[in-house]
Amino acid sequence: MLLKQYKSHFFNSLKKSQDEQEIESFFFILTEYLHNLKRVDVALNPNFELSDEEVETWNAILAQLQQEKPIQYITGEAWFYGLKFEVNENTLIPRPETEELVEWIIESWKLEAGSWKSENQKQINVLDIGTGSGCIPIALKANLPQTNVSAIDVSEKALDVAKRNAELNKVEINFIQANILEVEDVSKHQTSNSQLPTNFNIIVSNPPYVRNLEKQEIKKNVLDYEPHLALFVEDTDALLFYRKIAQLALKNLTPNGILFFEINQYLGNETVELLQNLGFKNIELKKDIYGNDRMVKSSI
């Protein structure tokens, strides 16, 4: 069968559950994943033929897509901030909104690094809490190589993925497994390499923030496949992780250190109020590319 013939079958099989633009994206992700053919290569090879075995492979993937399994879990990879990451069902799939958070951190680092270094700091320290695939700390380390970057997660399986991603992207991250809700002082924990720094210039977290009452808004591909441990929080205390991490930041941020959060779009004002009540200053609430309240920056 010619690839262009299979393309018609592929589109027809998915058009009830996906829009055309997304189906097209899936198709070209798979041509590169399965055949090392980019979009331009497909156009230049109209008579590219699939073997019977290759058609079976495409059919198996198509069946998974019809069940709305995320294509990133099918291929086992995702791109984030220009870097390639391994992903599986133990980690969330990195999202564009989180890339915006990384961009904001890098911009802030460039503005503040001079003042931090003038305080006789040998190294600028960064901590990511709830790291998942490791996309945030790895992207930061790749773009700010002079920083010392550490990352915490409760899931051993997620950390295994994050460690492989650090190796894949040739960066060194200090990883530690810990339930942040049980941590009293992050500097007391040992990493796989060494003890965490006493204080951090930047602490960042994208913790669980989706309330159970919002499950009806979650698409099937997220609800059925992505790890609920990293997604959901009880309705009765939706800011549980934010409160705990902010309290730790009061202990473990350097003077003029910055705390960054990715947040629930519906709880922007509540998150700001929480930080205000804990004594944080210079609080900024920022929208994402979709116009939703998505991230907060504050300092002590």
Side-chain angles (χ1 to χ4, degrees):
M1 177 183 286
L2 295 180
L3 179 60
K4 64 182 180 182
Q5 293 173 318
Y6 192 89
K7 182 179 180 182
S8 297
H9 170 65
F10 187 85
F11 270 69
N12 288 332
S13 299
L14 292 175
K15 63 184 181 182
K16 289 183 179 179
S17 59
Q18 309 288 348
D19 63 53
E20 187 171 326
Q21 186 175 1
E22 192 161 28
I23 299 171
E24 186 174 45
S25 174
F26 290 166
F27 180 77
F28 288 111
I29 287 171
L30 291 171
T31 60
E32 186 164 0
Y33 174 68
L34 295 173
H35 308 293
N36 201 28
L37 293 175
K38 296 183 183 298
R39 183 186 294 249
V40 65
D41 299 318
V42 175
L44 292 173
N45 292 274
N47 295 318
F48 185 88
E49 190 153 357
L50 301 176
S51 67
D52 290 345
E53 184 178 342
E54 287 171 331
V55 170
E56 286 183 15
T57 300
W58 273 91
N59 286 340
I61 291 175
L62 179 58
Q64 293 179 80
L65 289 172
Q66 288 176 312
Q67 294 299 314
E68 298 187 44
K69 184 173 184 176
I71 195 164
Q72 294 91 339
Y73 288 161
I74 295 172
T75 63
E77 59 189 43
W79 288 85
F80 180 85
Y81 213 76
L83 301 171
K84 186 177 178 179
F85 287 83
E86 175 190 335
V87 292
N88 61 32
E89 287 85 349
N90 297 301
T91 65
L92 293 179
I93 297 167
R95 287 170 167 75
E97 302 94 309
T98 310
E99 290 182 308
E100 293 183 77
L101 177 63
V102 167
E103 181 68 20
W104 199 16
I105 295 170
I106 291 173
E107 290 173 359
S108 300
W109 183 95
K110 291 176 179 177
L111 291 173
E112 300 293 341
S115 64
W116 289 332
K117 289 178 181 176
S118 68
E119 295 170 0
N120 296 319
Q121 267 193 262
K122 293 181 179 179
Q123 202 163 29
I124 293 173
N125 298 315
V126 177
L127 174 65
D128 176 44
I129 297 174
T131 197
S133 67
C135 63
I136 292 176
I138 291 168
L140 291 174
K141 181 66 175 180
N143 286 274
L144 304 171
Q146 60 272 61
T147 57
N148 177 43
V149 182
S150 304
I152 292 175
D153 202 281
V154 67
S155 168
E156 183 177 358
K157 291 181 178 179
L159 283 176
D160 287 341
V161 175
K163 290 172 183 176
R164 291 196 293 273
N165 281 327
E167 293 176 4
L168 174 66
N169 288 288
K170 297 179 173 59
V171 298
E172 186 174 322
I173 309 289
N174 303 312
F175 289 109
I176 187 164
Q177 182 183 2
N179 181 346
I180 201 63
L181 297 177
E182 297 174 357
V183 172
E184 295 302 323
D185 186 332
V186 293
S187 66
K188 305 298 184 186
H189 284 269
Q190 295 285 330
T191 71
S192 54
N193 301 319
S194 62
Q195 187 167 331
L196 286 172
T198 303
N199 289 297
F200 297 88
N201 303 92
I202 293 172
I203 294 177
V204 55
S205 183
N206 177 17
Y209 60 65
V210 180
R211 294 171 290 183
N212 288 312
L213 62 87
E214 293 155 3
K215 280 186 176 179
Q216 68 271 18
E217 299 179 24
I218 305 298
K219 291 183 178 179
K220 174 181 170 64
N221 63 334
V222 175
L223 191 62
D224 287 1
Y225 294 99
E226 298 202 47
H228 287 201
L229 178 67
L231 281 171
F232 293 106
V233 66
E234 292 300 326
D235 298 345
T236 53
D237 194 2
L239 298 180
L240 170 67
F241 286 95
Y242 296 89
R243 185 183 310 107
K244 177 64 178 183
I245 293 166
Q247 289 168 342
L248 289 171
L250 291 173
K251 295 180 182 178
N252 293 113
L253 274 175
T254 60
N256 301 315
I258 305 175
L259 173 64
F260 290 90
F261 280 132
E262 184 170 324
I263 66 166
N264 184 317
Q265 68 187 69
Y266 303 118
L267 298 175
N269 292 332
E270 290 84 347
T271 307
V272 168
E273 184 178 356
L274 169 69
L275 292 168
Q276 289 173 334
N277 291 339
L278 288 171
F280 284 83
K281 58 185 181 181
N282 303 320
I283 302 172
E284 297 181 52
L285 175 62
K286 191 172 183 179
K287 295 184 183 297
D288 61 23
I289 51 175
Y290 306 111
N292 298 316
D293 288 340
R294 185 58 65 197
M295 54 205 103
V296 172
K297 170 185 175 182
S298 60
S299 59
I300 59 173

